[in-house]
Amino acid sequence: HVFIIFLKKIFRLKTKQPRGRRWEATEVKEAATVDAAADTQGTSAPETVVPSSVPQPKDDFQEELVIRPLHSGDIYASFQFRTLWDTDFMRENKVSHYRLFPKSLGQVISKFSVRELHISFTQGYWRTMQWGQPFIPSPPGAELWVWFQDSVTDVDATWKELTNVLSGIFCASLNFIDSTNTVQPSASFKPLGIGNVTDHSFLRYATLPREIVCTENLTPWKKLLPCGSKAGLAVLLKSEKLFHSSFHSQAVHIRSVCQDWQCKTTSWELRQTVNSVFDLHNSGQAKREWSLFKMFSRTLTEACPLASSSKLYIDITDNPQGEQFELSPATSLLSQAVVLGDRRTFSVYDLTQETTFGSVRSLNLLIRWKSNEGEMLRPLLHAERYVAGYGLQTGEIHTLMYNNHPYRSFPVLLLDSVPWYLRLYIHTLSVTSKGKDNKPSYIHYEPSKDRVKPHLLEMLIQLPPNSVTEVTVQFERALLKWTEYPPDPNHGFYVGSSVISSLVPSTVAMDTNSTRERPLFSSFFPCKEESSYFVRIYTEPLLVNLPTPDFSMPYNVICLTCTVVAVGYGSLYNLLTRSFQIEEPNPGLAKRIANVIRKMRGVPPL
């Protein structure tokens, strides 16, 4: 009892605080220093203590939504969520405290020594000639490419384990990535972050063109956001609306970036993006009129409380005087940025300001079209791809690259990854421009190995101005084992998209010194030359038919075999188990009548 009373007294002394004052840890330390100084000088301690300045957090979160009305009447919506964190995942003491950066991805970076990670899930194909260039391109299906640190000893084993972990994080089929669909590019996919890495043995690239994107992939993606889908721009990410669009792509990009223009300090950047194109006809709208509620079935009510910046951009470059469409509510805040070599003008809605939402505390942006006039400028670079030939033995892959610039030529880097069951005849490779041979200045080819690795072809080609460059190569279809065919073999086999990277001539000077001032969607790809900008485009994936055996033949064989076995076994079983008895022959009719009469008389039958 005495011990319990003693503990109660100590607890009362510790919990007793003077009224009107709340002490923090920094204030207690500073007050103790002031008291010690006062005792030394022989003066009394001051009544009030000025608290020390609270250190600024080392992480930052920004969110943006860009809406671009397209000339076709469709609407292009691009979400950008960026998280910056000044930390070092590669230090010996593991990072244990996470505030804005998702812990699951931080542990992936630390465990697998990742330098850069880029993953995307896309449903649909981006139609460049109708919609222009996207802010961040991605191929149909799933794409994953990773740069590892120099400290990784076994890259292939680390790559395999990483794909399994990412498969669980994003609920995707990334565990099907193996050596048969993984390549090691020698010139493409340079790091997008800081650091001049030249050893491509730490780079791995793979695609799954048949991957289907659904709600199971979007839900874990939204959970990586600091506010989730509860507040901010993420409340618009409603799955039934996004997946009803003509094009949908979600991606995660992790890289290290500079904090200042001198790059004295670096930070890890996590950029999550969602790009979607809403079709006017698929939406069932009779009028050319769009709003946030019609596109997403929701409106904006607040910004993410953890975001330092939350803005909504509307591209009004082609609508300077409001002759094509009308914005409601209107805003006087404008911004200009160089995007994909073109200077664009945007109306800006700052969601951190209460005046943006008005008295109803809700923002439902309305775009009402007035005129159908206006033409979209053709992209300077776009590409197509298809398979030619007949029969199921040989074929030919055609890749067309268009340079629409009237007077300037520029080089492009083409990457092709072809599965092993399409055996390329590399001696038939030809590159022609304007009916003449166009000899590539650089060729890197790695032949495939059956059931081990795919083909890898990289070429640096100079595209003449206002021309179409065609790359053709013949192939032979392989005959697979019957266990290697999918459940629907007659559907065909997918071949991943070709990747084309280039520095395309720009129409305006690129300002590279105001990275922090420009919108997020204009500063993803680095650009070193003011007269050009970097662009990466993807072609269509190919659907190739392979020689398919008659899978109904095993069914016929099984039916015939079972019938023979049933008949033979049944007969043998009857012979072994049936008992035989000798039966007397039946008497005649006269004899049977006589026996009946004798029985009636009481006489024994004959």
Side-chain angles (χ1 to χ4, degrees):
H1 293 286
V2 174
F3 182 73
I4 294 175
I5 295 173
F6 179 71
L7 289 179
K8 288 183 178 180
K9 290 183 178 180
I10 294 177
F11 180 77
R12 290 174 183 175
L13 291 175
K14 287 186 177 180
T15 56
K16 186 176 182 181
Q17 294 183 357
R19 296 182 180 179
R21 180 181 297 179
R22 182 179 180 183
W23 295 91
E24 302 291 344
T26 56
E27 296 175 346
V28 171
K29 183 178 180 181
E30 193 167 341
T33 306
V34 174
D35 290 340
D39 294 339
T40 305
Q41 297 177 3
T43 60
S44 61
E47 291 294 328
T48 59
V49 178
V50 179
S52 61
S53 59
V54 180
Q56 296 294 330
K58 295 184 178 180
D59 50 0
D60 179 69
F61 175 68
Q62 297 177 353
E63 58 179 2
E64 291 180 0
L65 169 60
V66 188
I67 295 180
R68 177 193 291 178
L70 303 177
H71 291 274
S72 59
D74 305 328
I75 292 291
Y76 173 36
S78 176
F79 293 83
Q80 299 266 345
F81 303 91
R82 183 176 70 170
T83 305
L84 289 176
W85 193 12
D86 182 13
T87 187
D88 185 10
F89 288 107
M90 304 306 164
R91 63 188 180 188
E92 294 182 359
N93 298 328
K94 301 299 183 181
V95 179
S96 58
H97 177 68
Y98 291 83
R99 179 174 174 264
L100 299 179
F101 203 94
K103 186 176 181 179
S104 59
L105 296 183
Q107 292 177 342
V108 167
I109 297 174
S110 177
K111 177 177 177 57
F112 299 103
S113 300
V114 173
R115 184 189 299 271
E116 281 193 22
L117 187 146
H118 305 270
I119 182 173
S120 65
F121 301 95
T122 306
Q123 187 72 28
Y125 176 69
W126 182 269
R127 305 182 184 278
T128 306
M129 294 304 295
Q130 297 181 14
W131 303 333
Q133 294 287 356
F135 296 132
I136 299 180
S138 57
E143 180 192 42
L144 174 64
W145 59 285
V146 179
W147 277 93
F148 294 96
Q149 298 284 350
D150 302 340
S151 58
V152 178
T153 56
D154 192 350
V155 179
D156 292 330
T158 307
W159 165 259
K160 181 61 179 177
E161 189 176 357
L162 175 62
T163 55
N164 291 328
V165 172
L166 294 177
S167 177
I169 292 177
F170 294 101
C171 296
S173 303
L174 300 179
N175 56 308
F176 286 97
I177 294 179
D178 53 13
S179 62
T180 60
N181 48 27
T182 301
V183 295
Q184 177 184 323
S186 63
S188 303
F189 294 100
K190 295 292 185 181
L192 298 180
I194 60 175
N196 187 13
V197 184
T198 58
D199 190 358
H200 282 252
S201 62
F202 296 97
L203 170 64
R204 293 296 183 272
Y205 173 79
T207 58
L208 294 174
R210 201 176 181 179
E211 180 72 11
I212 304 299
V213 186
C214 60
T215 309
E216 295 178 355
N217 310 120
L218 182 62
T219 301
W221 185 94
K222 292 190 292 186
K223 290 182 179 179
L224 300 177
L225 297 173
C227 294
S229 58
K230 304 299 182 182
L233 296 174
V235 300
L236 301 178
L237 299 177
K238 202 173 181 181
S239 58
E240 54 264 29
K241 286 293 183 178
L242 287 178
F243 295 120
H244 190 64
S245 59
S246 301
F247 175 86
H248 168 74
S249 176
Q250 62 186 63
V252 172
H253 305 277
I254 302 176
R255 61 179 181 177
S256 55
V257 295
C258 297
Q259 287 190 356
D260 51 11
W261 64 276
Q262 294 181 349
C263 204
K264 293 182 180 180
T265 56
T266 61
S267 300
W268 283 94
E269 180 195 62
L270 167 63
R271 187 173 297 210
Q272 298 177 241
T273 64
V274 170
N275 295 278
S276 183
V277 176
F278 294 91
D279 191 355
L280 175 67
H281 303 285
N282 289 341
S283 61
Q285 300 182 27
K287 300 184 297 182
R288 296 187 64 182
E289 185 177 289
W290 293 95
S291 66
L292 292 181
F293 186 79
K294 289 183 178 179
M295 285 190 293
F296 304 105
S297 294
R298 292 177 182 176
T299 59
L300 294 174
T301 57
E302 62 176 343
C304 175
L306 300 175
S308 61
S309 173
S310 180
K311 295 181 180 180
L312 172 61
Y313 292 86
I314 308 297
D315 193 343
I316 60 172
T317 306
D318 302 329
N319 187 54
Q321 304 298 330
E323 64 274 4
Q324 289 192 3
F325 56 86
E326 177 186 359
L327 285 179
S328 177
T331 178
S332 59
L333 185 59
L334 300 178
S335 174
Q336 283 191 348
V338 177
V339 184
L340 299 175
D342 189 13
R343 189 174 298 278
R344 313 293 295 183
T345 305
F346 300 90
S347 294
V348 185
Y349 297 83
D350 193 351
L351 302 183
T352 58
Q353 303 294 329
E354 294 183 0
T355 56
T356 304
F357 301 97
S359 59
V360 295
R361 294 296 304 167
S362 178
L363 178 61
N364 184 23
L365 188 66
L366 177 64
I367 301 177
R368 183 180 292 109
W369 289 86
K370 296 181 179 180
S371 173
N372 297 333
E373 298 179 358
E375 294 182 0
M376 183 190 69
L377 295 177
R378 291 192 306 170
L380 295 181
L381 175 65
H382 73 280
E384 299 175 354
R385 196 183 188 200
Y386 62 92
V387 176
Y390 58 91
L392 294 177
Q393 183 177 1
T394 60
E396 194 172 42
I397 298 178
H398 292 252
T399 304
L400 303 178
M401 295 176 290
Y402 296 83
N403 178 10
N404 296 323
H405 201 283
Y407 56 87
R408 288 193 59 179
S409 63
F410 51 86
V412 297
L413 185 60
L414 173 66
L415 181 143
D416 259 341
S417 176
V418 183
W420 62 268
Y421 45 77
L422 299 183
R423 295 166 180 168
L424 298 182
Y425 294 150
I426 201 63
H427 68 279
T428 63
L429 178 65
S430 65
V431 182
T432 58
S433 299
K434 296 183 177 180
K436 299 180 181 179
D437 291 339
N438 188 351
K439 186 177 180 180
S441 56
Y442 170 79
I443 297 181
H444 173 76
Y445 174 69
E446 294 182 8
S448 68
K449 188 175 181 180
D450 287 358
R451 299 173 179 85
V452 176
K453 68 175 185 178
H455 302 268
L456 174 61
L457 177 62
E458 289 183 282
M459 296 185 294
L460 185 62
I461 306 172
Q462 189 77 15
L463 301 185
N466 197 18
S467 65
V468 180
T469 302
E470 183 178 12
V471 180
T472 62
V473 61
Q474 297 181 7
F475 65 89
E476 181 182 5
R477 296 172 172 88
L479 184 61
L480 304 180
K481 298 179 180 179
W482 72 275
T483 55
E484 296 175 342
Y485 286 91
D488 52 347
N490 293 307
H491 178 76
F493 292 77
Y494 284 90
V495 179
S497 304
S498 296
V499 186
I500 300 174
S501 308
S502 176
L503 286 175
V504 179
S506 177
T507 57
V508 296
M510 178 70 74
D511 184 9
T512 58
N513 296 327
S514 59
T515 305
R516 298 300 296 268
E517 299 296 331
R518 298 203 309 266
L520 298 181
F521 57 85
S522 64
S523 60
F524 184 72
F525 288 111
C527 184
K528 300 300 182 182
E529 298 183 9
E530 294 184 354
S531 61
S532 59
Y533 65 96
F534 180 81
V535 64
R536 178 180 292 142
I537 61 176
Y538 296 88
T539 64
E540 305 93 333
L542 300 179
L543 185 61
V544 181
N545 289 323
L546 295 183
T548 305
D550 184 8
F551 285 100
S552 64
M553 199 62 187
Y555 172 78
N556 298 334
V557 172
I558 291 174
C559 293
L560 179 61
T561 304
C562 291
T563 303
V564 172
V565 169
V567 172
Y569 178 77
S571 302
L572 181 61
Y573 182 80
N574 288 335
L575 292 175
L576 294 177
T577 59
R578 182 178 297 175
S579 60
F580 297 92
Q581 297 180 358
I582 299 177
E583 184 179 359
E584 297 181 356
N586 294 330
L589 180 60
K591 188 174 181 180
R592 283 182 292 179
I593 295 174
N595 289 334
V596 170
I597 297 173
R598 291 173 66 88
K599 186 176 180 180
M600 295 173 62
R601 292 180 179 180
V603 181
L606 297 175

